[in-house]
Amino acid sequence: MKRFAPLITVALILAVAFPLTAQAQTESSSGFEIGPRVTIDVGDIEEFALGGDVRYDLSQNVEAPVQLSGAIDFYFADDAQVGNQEVDRSIYTVDLNAHYMFPTEETFSPYAGAGIGITGSEVGGTSSTDTGLNLVGGVEFDTGTLQPFVQGQITIGDFDRLGITGGLLFAL
């Protein structure tokens, strides 16, 4: 856990700083949203992660309600058992998705989409990178400048992931 102390500190600072900064901003027409996120994986990883999310609304440039999304998560992985020895284990993921935003007159916007997921891991000095197909669905809540969201994601590949994510987005 000592090796994660700097990561935890940075994540907590970002989680606190982003919402405070977002409340002071006015809404922007840039189409970009950014913010912190928390993920719980119940697939092959079975760990808790902190990360960041960035989204770009394409509907400002094209007539389709499409949003591009990128995310990175760092997992709080327990040490792994290799033979009779316990070794360090670290896991991170990078996701690139496109969301179709379902039209609604409500204060929430459901979406569904797909993309690619990259999972990097290191166990005892040996690293590997795996790529998979993402299927994602969720809801963004329109509360003004802050946009809370919750989503589920399935990644099918060498590392199968099944994650539930929640976070806050704010307009840039």
Side-chain angles (χ1 to χ4, degrees):
M1 191 65 173
K2 288 180 184 177
R3 65 187 169 138
F4 289 114
L7 178 62
I8 293 169
T9 303
V10 169
L12 290 174
I13 289 169
L14 291 175
V16 170
F18 279 145
L20 293 176
T21 304
Q23 291 172 352
Q25 293 180 350
T26 57
E27 291 208 31
S28 167
S29 61
S30 73
F32 280 98
E33 296 175 316
I34 189 169
R37 61 189 256 152
V38 174
T39 300
I40 297 173
D41 187 277
V42 294
D44 288 345
I45 299 176
E46 295 183 340
E47 300 288 349
F48 161 79
L50 290 176
D53 205 305
V54 62
R55 298 181 184 196
Y56 179 69
D57 183 8
L58 280 179
S59 67
Q60 295 181 1
N61 301 323
V62 294
E63 292 298 317
V66 176
Q67 181 184 70
L68 299 179
S69 172
I72 186 165
D73 290 313
F74 296 95
Y75 285 82
F76 294 91
D78 292 332
D79 291 341
Q81 191 73 28
V82 176
N84 293 333
Q85 203 174 29
E86 231 179 70
V87 295
D88 288 341
R89 180 173 77 141
S90 62
I91 301 172
Y92 70 89
T93 59
V94 177
D95 295 305
L96 303 170
N97 297 314
H99 303 157
Y100 176 81
M101 306 298 289
F102 294 102
T104 179
E105 298 294 322
E106 303 297 325
T107 59
F108 59 89
S109 301
Y111 60 88
I116 62 168
I118 301 165
T119 304
S121 64
E122 183 176 329
V123 178
T126 304
S127 62
S128 69
T129 304
D130 300 304
T131 304
L133 172 67
N134 292 339
L135 300 174
V136 63
V139 177
E140 280 186 24
F141 298 93
D142 184 13
T143 59
T145 305
L146 287 178
Q147 302 284 331
F149 73 93
V150 62
Q151 73 180 26
Q153 178 173 308
I154 298 171
T155 303
I156 302 164
D158 290 338
F159 251 116
D160 290 337
R161 293 188 276 144
L162 174 57
I164 300 170
T165 301
L168 285 173
L169 299 168
F170 62 91
L172 294 179

